[in-house]
Amino acid sequence: MPPAAVDDAQKRRSRARRGDGDRLRGEILAAADALLIATNDIATLSIRAVASAVGVTPPSIYLHFADRNDLLFAVCERHAIQLEAAMADAAVGVDDPLERLRLRGLAYLHYGLHHPEHYRILMMSRPDDTPDRFIDERMADVAGLLPVVEDVRAAIDLGLFPDQDPLDAAKLLWMMIHGMVSLLISKPDFPFPPPEESYQRLYEMLVAGLVTPARAAPDP
Amino acid sequence: MPPAAVDDAQKRRSRARRGDGDRLRGEILAAADALLIATNDIATLSIRAVASAVGVTPPSIYLHFADRNDLLFAVCERHAIQLEAAMADAAVGVDDPLERLRLRGLAYLHYGLHHPEHYRILMMSRPDDTPDRFIDERMADVAGLLPVVEDVRAAIDLGLFPDQDPLDAAKLLWMMIHGMVSLLISKPDFPFPPPEESYQRLYEMLVAGLVTPARAAPDP
DNA sequence: TGTACATCAGTGAACGCGCGTTCACTGATGTAC
DNA sequence: TGTACATCAGTGAACGCGCGTTCACTGATGTAC
């Protein structure tokens, strides 16, 4: 006789034990994530689709999430954490602040390209589609902005960058890498150069300036 | 007695004359545009909503557009032309290629900020939401990229820029200004510096480089 | 050890909605004679 | 100038769909005695 408690998850999940009412919550989030990766379309993340992927009826979702928006919010949270982690890992063991910045940006680029729909939700949603309060307080972390600010500050302290507001500089860097990621995502058929190449050129442009030194810093 | 042919447009439009079957088409596009500006949400651009705004029944739309996607495509076309015109006007009468580039970018920024939903459709849509074939052939013009390429080429010829592929450089510039516009649109509550200020700093960064000259071009 | 009861994770059916699209049609406008 | 007819811009009603959400419920799990 088959063990009844095995989570077969294919057609009908086993009922949660009294204690772990939160088990379903985790499964819902995982299913939503998988669905998002599979379809690459946030519109397919309907309550019904998620419920069916988990093997549960739609009303069950409401046991764990107030409404669809709340579910999407939770999914956002996961991705934000993933992106932050990727950016944090990228700079581990590297001392040069300039190189740290380059690597963080590269990690950001890769995250966006490998999780386009996640990135789209996080960074490209219509503001009113984003769950309430997600932007204001969370956004600075979401973008992984704080470590970048630290790197910029370190670069200034070392005399690598001219003196400037590190936070403003970090925001500007965010804008630029976001431009690259979001355009590559939205226009996949446009003949952009390979992402790594574009990134390298962006980096060089920023470091050296676009204009030939003769004009940038005229010799007296 | 009131003239019967007056287009009262409020409740029931007068029937088009035999010749100008295309009259309705123009009215549909205008209404779609107005609706988009008013609601700032492409989702409200349903066949029904547009028809009702024009004062016509939904099936009438199909007399002029194959389907909803086709209508959205036509709306895109309008906006693309607007954006191109704004960028073209911006550089009129200016000789310095660097200044031309700066002004074109500024016009792009302003267009995006003043028509966020138009910009969103043009540049931030999920690729499969964009009407077929709009991207590939049209996109280079849509972004107003060709004039930018010319300016970059001129800058190179004058020795202002180091020798490089002008088209690739233009694509990179596009990415950067797009990053600014799209992030400002998507995160209106995030404490970015004022757009003009960010733009000025971006421009300076590009021209002079982010890194202090000492490191960028070490003196022998 | 055995029974009555409370808990609460998950169900099944239904609601009302707005949507894109279709179809057979109507009736004013214009044309041929 | 007058009448029969063709054209075709626009209509009205309906289709089938998937959606978010609600409600009263069921029945296995755990607890009290």
Side-chain angles (χ1 to χ4, degrees):
Chain A
M1 53 207 71
V6 157
D7 185 352
D8 109 353
Q10 275 316 81
K11 209 48 222 150
R12 190 65 145 256
R13 54 194 299 288
S14 67
R15 191 200 201 80
R17 285 295 166 71
R18 200 61 161 284
D20 53 9
D22 277 350
R23 189 180 107 208
L24 180 55
R25 186 190 160 88
E27 291 181 26
I28 291 172
L29 284 176
D33 229 20
L35 219 53
L36 203 51
I37 289 172
T39 65
N40 242 299
D41 186 353
I42 202 187
T44 64
L45 264 198
S46 64
I47 294 277
R48 287 168 138 95
V50 172
S52 141
V54 177
V56 113
T57 58
S60 304
I61 306 290
Y62 292 88
L63 261 33
H64 298 280
F65 301 93
D67 52 24
R68 180 169 182 262
N69 198 47
D70 192 36
L71 169 60
L72 293 184
F73 175 91
V75 173
C76 284
E77 276 277 338
R78 289 190 131 208
H79 301 164
I81 290 168
Q82 283 175 16
L83 172 55
E84 285 169 33
M87 290 184 73
D89 290 352
V92 163
V94 177
D95 284 335
D96 180 16
L98 225 61
E99 181 64 4
R100 291 170 67 87
L101 284 172
R102 196 185 69 82
L103 290 170
R104 285 199 209 277
L106 199 56
Y108 187 104
L109 174 65
H110 285 152
Y111 182 87
L113 294 180
H114 292 128
H115 306 85
E117 203 60 26
H118 295 186
Y119 188 84
R120 182 178 289 280
I121 299 171
L122 274 180
M123 301 294 178
M124 303 165 68
S125 297
R126 188 169 291 99
D128 23 326
D129 285 352
T130 311
D132 297 341
R133 312 215 138 274
F134 190 80
I135 306 169
D136 313 271
E137 296 102 36
R138 191 83 173 83
M139 218 56 227
D141 300 345
V142 163
L145 213 57
L146 294 183
V148 172
V149 173
E150 287 314 307
D151 290 342
V152 171
R153 196 190 311 277
I156 295 171
D157 289 347
L158 288 174
L160 298 173
F161 284 1
D163 193 31
Q164 58 191 302
D165 179 0
L167 181 55
D168 281 353
K171 288 172 185 171
L172 213 52
L173 292 176
W174 179 24
M175 286 174 164
M176 286 188 259
I177 186 63
H178 167 75
M180 183 166 292
V181 174
S182 62
L183 218 42
L184 287 169
I185 288 177
S186 289
K187 310 293 178 197
D189 294 333
F190 187 83
F192 286 113
E196 250 92 8
E197 194 178 297
S198 290
Y199 184 72
Q200 183 60 26
R201 291 209 51 199
L202 169 63
Y203 179 76
E204 287 164 6
M205 255 192 196
L206 286 180
V207 168
L210 182 62
V211 171
T212 53
R215 165 139 174 179
D219 280 307
Chain B
M1 54 206 71
V6 156
D7 185 352
D8 112 350
Q10 274 316 81
K11 210 47 221 151
R12 191 64 145 253
R13 53 193 300 287
S14 67
R15 192 200 199 79
R17 286 295 166 72
R18 200 62 161 282
D20 52 8
D22 277 350
R23 188 181 107 208
L24 180 54
R25 186 189 160 88
E27 291 181 27
I28 291 171
L29 283 176
D33 229 19
L35 219 53
L36 204 50
I37 288 172
T39 65
N40 242 298
D41 186 354
I42 201 186
T44 63
L45 264 198
S46 64
I47 294 278
R48 288 168 139 93
V50 172
S52 140
V54 177
V56 114
T57 58
S60 304
I61 307 290
Y62 291 89
L63 261 34
H64 299 280
F65 300 94
D67 51 24
R68 180 170 182 261
N69 198 46
D70 192 36
L71 169 59
L72 294 184
F73 175 92
V75 173
C76 285
E77 276 276 338
R78 289 188 131 208
H79 301 163
I81 290 168
Q82 284 176 15
L83 172 55
E84 284 168 34
M87 289 184 72
D89 290 352
V92 163
V94 177
D95 285 335
D96 179 18
L98 227 61
E99 182 63 5
R100 291 170 67 87
L101 284 172
R102 195 185 70 81
L103 290 171
R104 285 200 209 277
L106 199 57
Y108 188 103
L109 173 66
H110 285 152
Y111 181 86
L113 294 180
H114 292 129
H115 306 86
E117 203 61 26
H118 295 185
Y119 188 84
R120 181 178 291 279
I121 299 170
L122 274 180
M123 301 293 178
M124 302 164 69
S125 297
R126 188 169 292 98
D128 24 326
D129 286 352
T130 311
D132 298 341
R133 310 214 139 274
F134 191 79
I135 306 169
D136 312 272
E137 296 103 37
R138 192 81 173 86
M139 218 57 227
D141 300 344
V142 164
L145 213 56
L146 294 182
V148 172
V149 173
E150 287 314 305
D151 290 343
V152 171
R153 196 190 311 277
I156 293 171
D157 289 347
L158 288 174
L160 298 173
F161 285 180
D163 192 32
Q164 58 191 302
D165 179 0
L167 181 56
D168 281 353
K171 289 172 184 171
L172 213 51
L173 292 176
W174 179 23
M175 285 175 165
M176 285 188 260
I177 187 63
H178 167 75
M180 184 168 292
V181 173
S182 62
L183 218 42
L184 287 169
I185 287 177
S186 289
K187 311 293 179 196
D189 294 333
F190 186 82
F192 287 112
E196 249 93 8
E197 192 178 301
S198 290
Y199 183 73
Q200 183 60 27
R201 291 210 50 198
L202 169 64
Y203 179 76
E204 287 164 6
M205 256 193 194
L206 286 179
V207 168
L210 183 61
V211 172
T212 55
R215 166 142 174 175
D219 279 307

